Amino acid sequence: MAEEKNSKQRHHRSMLLDSMYPVVALMLVLVACVELCDAATVVDVYRLIQYDISGVPFGSRFSSLNHHAASLSFQHGADLSRSVLILPLRELDIAFVQDYISQKQSLGGLLILLPQTFRPGYIGGGETQDGLRVLLAQLEKLLLHSNIPFPVYFAFENEETDAMLADVKKNDALGQQATATTGGYKLVISVSEPRKIASPTITNIQGWLPGSRADGDSNQLPTIAVVASYDTFGAAPALSVGSDSNGSGVVALLEVARLFSTLYSNPKTRGRYNLLFALTSGGPYNYEGTQKWLKSLDQRMRESIDYAICLNSVGSWDNELLVHVSKPPENAYIKQIFEGFSNVAEDLGFQVSLKHKKINISNSRVAWEHEQFSRLRVTAATVSELLTPPELLESAGSLSDTRQHVNEDSIIKGVKLVAESLARHIYGHQGKDIQIFADNSSLAVNRFYVKSWLDSLSQTPRVAPFLSKNEPLIMALKKELEDYTAEVSIQQESLDGIFTFYDSTKASLNIYQVASVTFDLLLLLVLGSYLIMLFSFLVITTRGLDDLISIFRRPPSRKIKIA
Amino acid sequence: MTLFHFFNCAILTFGPHAVYYSATPLSEYDTLGTSVKAAVVYLATALVKLVCLATFLQVSETEVFDPYQEALKAMIGFIDVAGLYFALAQLTHRNISQNHKFQAVGLGWAFADSVLHRLAPLWVGARGLEFTWDYVLQGLEANANLVFTISLAALGSLMWLRKNKPKTLIPIIYTCAVIIATMPSITSYLRRVMGWHFPKVVGFELMTSLVMAFISCQLFILCQRPSL
């Protein structure tokens, strides 16, 4: 009986020990957890791009941040080298920022707060004022072309940042430093230092739609190419969605491909031209992707290209669309193309104009995509709403290029223009008053298709060096072209040349309310005196006052006693 | 700097126990063993309570005050009292006077309670950059808890260890003991139903602890007279 009891007790004891193990393990885990999410606020922030052109550094060169917050109302002459300056876009003074950067004054960091309307995927109403957009464009230009030795981040305003900024302003105006629980804020972004992106890849996607050969005709069919570059470049690569530049071009290309695939699916309506659709990358970098793609084409294929239409920014125009060429307007091919466009435009009720810009062979700058074609002796033109050729790294998807300012109707008009003129050329109906892609027909331009692709592209940042090889966007574009064309191929090249990029484009900002050291010292003082008082109180009540005094008095020295 | 805050809160939470031990005659009589035994009994009691809570209590999603659940929690809280009884009456202590026995047991009990309930949150939370008053308030709560536990131990020793008590005082002793034992339920009631914030609750606890300590001290002195 006793043995049974003993074994039972042992069993219970071992069970108890077993159940203690998870408790012990949990305690160990808790002890090991050094950093838990204990910030009051966490905000998504997007870093300014960091890049080199031929070794010359541009953009923000640092990424991690651990400083106190400061606002514009700081006292004059205050040292901001250990503070992060918070600038809402609405109160931005470009001259101030320019001074700060050009005079190389040291700053802990810069946090620019943008209104929510600039957020990609922002659905709510509220037109952003044009003044803000212009200001943002100016700011972007300034930041992109300067070498900034401190981290610069963009964030979107929300309630918490507004509250924090109000607090910081109040305290700065009073000249107070961070005090206990009132207004001391510390901004921490802990990411590793940015590294070079080893070999950024650019991916070109091409779709081939063959035409129908007449029986007995052994000659190579001529080809017409429609090209658009899909990647962007902007101040904040994680926010570069480029709705107009060049999301609108990509959407227009996809819709044209869809329309022609419908036409070509029936052998009776298949034209005597091959169609080549290409979505190229590397647009902002002198159209390097287009050049590589062209060079990779088979020579015979390239020579069979009759002409190429490049689409660049067709999303926010009203009455006039421009056709940019590099061959002189007197050239027969150019005349033909332009006549085709203007006839269609007349029918559709808007205007097209021809603009000629000569290529300067010695200048490496490629302003329009068609120039890459022209350099390889292929006739090409760019259809665009832009009047002047964009500068290097401009109009390539900036922060102010959001979905709200792109009009589906403009894209639809552009699609109709390109599709109709191509169709009239292919089927030999130039000059005739025929509408092939008429509204309410089975070949009508699909507004919902345009809108949905535009919405989706306006939420996808597309800066080429930050796109991986199997990026979902690229796969989606490839699949879309596969639906509409017979053969799709992907070409992946590395972006060499003069550009170098650095990673770390997105981070989480932790905002802490901190107490100053003086507060901690004060608290220590208070607690110390409390414990001493408690000690004295307890000694007095339990042992008597004499005992308390005797603790502090030294025992009388022997010398005095003897004496 | 944040480690500084952790240090501050730690001495607020655990300092008074050490001070109590060294200031009162407990240190002279070397009653550390008793305190340690009381701490171990507290651990066992806590485990038993956890098991009972897990078995009988339903976890509600919202912070709704359910009287039935609260009554159940209060009943399980009486396991605490049982544990204290065990520590006071059943364990064999060295020959120390009753006066010091309840103090040592109360001290050990309260220290174990503070460590178990407050050390982990303190370690994890007070070292962060973000400043909150929570941990200072928690330390104050630990102080109040110490006073409560010692009062409860005093009343417990009166109830179970002293044989001849004046008849009139017995109900008072028992009511006070019940009030102190149900203190957790009272605070949770205040927090949830009355919507009191943490600082207010801690202030209430501190005041009640002082009042209770005074009452139990008086009762102890009153009960001591006949046996003298």
Side-chain angles (χ1 to χ4, degrees):
Chain A
M1 259 319 233
E3 285 141 13
E4 267 182 42
K5 248 192 175 174
N6 266 341
S7 65
K8 258 194 189 166
Q9 271 185 341
R10 256 182 269 133
H11 182 66
H12 281 306
R13 233 175 280 149
S14 64
M15 262 183 64
L16 197 67
L17 278 173
D18 277 332
S19 62
M20 290 284 278
Y21 285 146
V23 177
V24 171
L26 183 65
M27 295 290 290
L28 284 174
V29 166
L30 277 178
V31 168
C33 276
V34 178
E35 252 182 74
L36 287 188
C37 178
D38 56 348
T41 321
V42 181
V43 180
D44 278 330
V45 291
Y46 310 94
R47 195 170 80 102
L48 182 68
I49 194 168
Q50 179 182 356
Y51 65 104
D52 300 338
I53 298 185
S54 309
V56 180
F58 291 102
S60 157
R61 310 307 292 178
F62 292 96
S63 62
S64 62
L65 197 67
N66 189 342
H67 293 303
H68 282 280
S71 71
L72 272 177
S73 355
F74 62 87
Q75 310 283 13
H76 267 294
D79 179 25
L80 289 179
S81 60
R82 308 244 338 130
S83 312
V84 177
L85 197 57
I86 306 181
L87 287 178
L89 185 68
R90 296 173 213 272
E91 302 162 14
L92 189 68
D93 180 13
I94 283 277
F96 171 78
V97 180
Q98 198 156 24
D99 275 341
Y100 234 93
I101 294 177
S102 60
Q103 287 166 21
K104 303 231 176 271
Q105 300 207 17
S106 62
L107 188 63
L110 191 59
L111 179 66
I112 300 175
L113 291 177
L114 304 170
Q116 279 280 343
T117 48
F118 287 109
R119 178 194 278 276
Y122 176 74
I123 313 174
E127 274 286 313
T128 39
Q129 300 146 357
D130 273 337
L132 276 181
R133 289 188 78 210
V134 168
L135 190 59
L136 187 57
Q138 279 180 329
L139 178 68
E140 270 200 28
K141 197 167 168 186
L142 170 66
L143 291 175
L144 271 179
H145 296 286
S146 324
N147 178 5
I148 303 177
F150 48 81
V152 179
Y153 281 94
F154 294 93
F156 293 105
E157 289 173 349
N158 60 15
E159 298 159 341
E160 294 150 333
T161 57
D162 284 339
M164 174 192 69
L165 189 59
D167 251 342
V168 172
K169 277 189 191 167
K170 200 171 58 172
N171 283 319
D172 274 349
L174 296 173
Q176 269 177 8
Q177 274 306 303
T179 60
T181 70
T182 54
Y185 287 90
K186 201 157 193 177
L187 304 180
V188 179
I189 300 177
S190 41
V191 283
S192 51
E193 281 310 305
R195 288 176 309 231
K196 272 190 208 182
I197 295 185
S199 41
T201 44
I202 45 178
T203 311
N204 299 318
I205 311 169
Q206 87 178 29
W208 170 256
L209 197 58
S212 76
R213 227 178 268 194
D215 295 333
D217 187 0
S218 60
N219 291 335
Q220 174 86 335
L221 280 179
T223 312
I224 300 180
V226 182
V227 188
S229 92
Y230 67 87
D231 70 328
T232 58
F233 183 89
L239 294 174
S240 269
V241 292
S243 298
D244 204 5
S245 319
N246 190 13
S248 55
V250 173
V251 171
L253 184 146
L254 288 176
E255 179 63 7
V256 170
R258 189 187 70 84
L259 290 171
F260 274 99
S261 96
T262 322
L263 266 181
Y264 273 43
S265 57
N266 186 348
K268 290 194 203 149
T269 52
R270 202 173 289 167
R272 299 265 165 84
Y273 281 81
N274 299 322
L275 283 172
L276 184 58
F277 297 98
L279 287 166
T280 58
S281 178
Y285 323 115
N286 291 328
Y287 292 103
E288 196 174 318
T290 317
Q291 185 192 49
K292 294 208 160 123
W293 172 68
L294 276 175
K295 289 200 175 144
S296 79
L297 282 183
D298 191 30
Q299 170 117 8
R300 282 206 311 162
M301 162 97 86
R302 201 159 63 229
E303 283 172 3
S304 78
I305 297 183
D306 241 12
Y307 62 95
I309 305 282
C310 309
L311 299 166
N312 183 354
S313 311
V314 291
S316 50
W317 57 278
D318 279 322
N319 290 320
E320 191 182 7
L321 204 54
L322 292 120
V323 178
H324 300 267
V325 291
S326 50
K327 291 204 173 146
E330 299 78 43
N331 184 300
Y333 294 115
I334 303 287
K335 264 191 173 171
Q336 197 181 45
I337 299 171
F338 184 64
E339 258 178 49
F341 278 139
S342 26
N343 286 338
V344 176
E346 222 179 280
D347 291 340
L348 292 174
F350 54 85
Q351 218 190 349
V352 282
S353 320
L354 190 63
K355 286 207 100 172
H356 172 231
K357 175 184 175 290
K358 269 199 206 158
I359 298 182
N360 187 351
I361 302 277
S362 54
N363 186 0
S364 62
R365 167 77 187 131
V366 179
W368 297 109
E369 197 161 10
H370 70 262
E371 294 186 12
Q372 292 285 18
F373 286 86
S374 302
R375 283 170 197 237
L376 292 170
R377 308 204 202 299
V378 179
T379 311
T382 303
V383 175
S384 172
E385 71 202 4
L386 300 169
L387 285 168
T388 49
E391 298 292 325
L392 180 64
L393 302 176
E394 258 175 57
S395 290
S398 67
L399 283 172
S400 47
D401 190 354
T402 54
R403 171 72 180 89
Q404 289 176 313
H405 302 278
V406 177
N407 196 350
E408 294 113 56
D409 289 316
S410 314
I411 302 182
I412 290 175
K413 282 195 291 197
V415 168
K416 281 187 187 167
L417 174 73
V418 173
E420 283 282 352
S421 43
L422 280 183
R424 286 189 192 180
H425 181 93
I426 291 174
Y427 298 107
H429 294 308
Q430 282 99 323
K432 293 191 199 156
D433 186 19
I434 293 181
Q435 255 203 344
I436 300 177
F437 303 103
D439 291 336
N440 302 322
S441 70
S442 63
L443 287 173
V445 176
N446 189 342
R447 168 176 283 268
F448 298 107
Y449 184 81
V450 167
K451 186 172 183 300
S452 77
W453 264 103
L454 191 61
D455 286 341
S456 149
L457 282 174
S458 302
Q459 294 182 33
T460 319
R462 309 188 292 278
V463 182
F466 303 106
L467 294 176
S468 65
K469 284 196 178 170
N470 295 320
E471 190 75 22
L473 169 75
I474 297 177
M475 294 294 116
L477 289 172
K478 175 175 178 239
K479 184 177 169 305
E480 201 66 13
L481 277 183
E482 272 172 3
D483 282 344
Y484 302 138
T485 56
E487 257 176 64
V488 171
S489 66
I490 288 197
Q491 179 203 13
Q492 291 191 323
E493 301 273 346
S494 83
L495 179 71
D496 49 28
I498 51 179
F499 287 89
T500 322
F501 293 93
Y502 295 79
D503 64 1
S504 174
T505 56
K506 201 173 166 197
S508 290
L509 171 70
N510 294 306
I511 305 179
Y512 298 103
Q513 263 194 310
V514 289
S516 59
V517 184
T518 42
F519 170 76
D520 278 333
L521 285 172
L522 213 65
L523 191 62
L524 182 64
L525 212 64
V526 167
L527 288 175
S529 43
Y530 164 69
L531 285 176
I532 290 173
M533 270 194 349
L534 185 69
F535 185 81
S536 324
F537 172 75
L538 286 171
V539 169
I540 291 176
T541 48
T542 52
R543 289 195 255 179
L545 189 59
D546 297 331
D547 270 338
L548 178 68
I549 298 174
S550 69
I551 291 176
F552 292 111
R553 184 180 293 170
R554 274 196 218 134
S557 66
R558 291 282 171 98
K559 270 190 188 169
I560 298 174
K561 254 196 169 175
I562 290 171
Chain B
M1 196 207 329
T2 52
L3 225 56
F4 201 162
H5 189 63
F6 168 74
F7 176 72
N8 280 342
C9 295
I11 61 174
L12 178 60
T13 316
F14 304 114
H17 301 87
V19 164
Y20 193 91
Y21 185 79
S22 55
T24 57
L26 288 178
S27 54
E28 284 176 20
Y29 291 100
D30 195 18
T31 50
L32 196 61
T34 315
S35 299
V36 169
K37 283 188 206 164
V40 171
V41 173
Y42 178 82
L43 270 169
T45 318
L47 266 166
V48 170
K49 259 176 54 175
L50 274 174
V51 170
C52 287
L53 280 171
T55 319
F56 296 117
L57 228 53
Q58 302 147 357
V59 177
S60 66
E61 303 283 296
T62 54
E63 287 260 331
V64 166
F65 184 80
D66 185 358
Y68 182 64
Q69 298 288 316
E70 292 300 320
L72 215 57
K73 275 193 206 164
M75 282 210 292
I76 293 179
F78 277 104
I79 297 179
D80 255 339
V81 182
L84 206 54
Y85 167 75
F86 181 77
L88 272 175
Q90 302 294 59
L91 285 183
T92 52
H93 304 285
R94 287 169 42 213
N95 272 338
I96 36 179
S97 78
Q98 213 156 60
N99 209 344
H100 298 136
K101 192 197 287 191
F102 81 81
Q103 284 185 35
V105 167
L107 190 66
W109 191 270
F111 186 72
D113 181 272
S114 281
V115 166
L116 228 56
H117 285 272
R118 297 185 184 92
L119 183 62
L122 202 60
W123 174 255
V124 166
R127 286 182 313 135
L129 273 177
E130 179 85 12
F131 176 80
T132 47
W133 285 103
D134 281 345
Y135 299 105
V136 178
L137 291 172
Q138 206 182 51
L140 290 174
E141 200 183 11
N143 278 320
N145 193 278
L146 172 64
V147 179
F148 272 136
T149 318
I150 294 188
S151 320
L152 188 59
L155 294 171
S157 81
L158 279 183
M159 288 194 288
W160 301 309
L161 296 180
R162 198 170 287 273
K163 299 306 166 190
N164 42 350
K165 300 177 278 254
K167 291 291 175 194
T168 46
L169 292 176
I170 292 181
I172 305 179
I173 295 175
Y174 278 99
T175 15
C176 288
V178 165
I179 292 176
I180 298 182
T182 52
M183 219 30 185
S185 303
I186 296 176
T187 45
S188 80
Y189 172 77
L190 287 172
R191 203 176 308 190
R192 291 191 191 176
V193 176
M194 310 272 279
W196 282 20
H197 289 302
F198 199 31
K200 231 173 165 181
V201 172
V202 171
F204 171 77
E205 277 182 4
L206 282 171
M207 277 208 330
T208 356
S209 66
L210 288 174
V211 166
M212 280 292 145
F214 182 71
I215 293 176
S216 37
C217 192
Q218 292 299 88
L219 283 170
F220 204 81
I221 294 173
L222 284 173
C223 287
Q224 250 182 339
R225 281 213 203 107
S227 61
L228 270 173

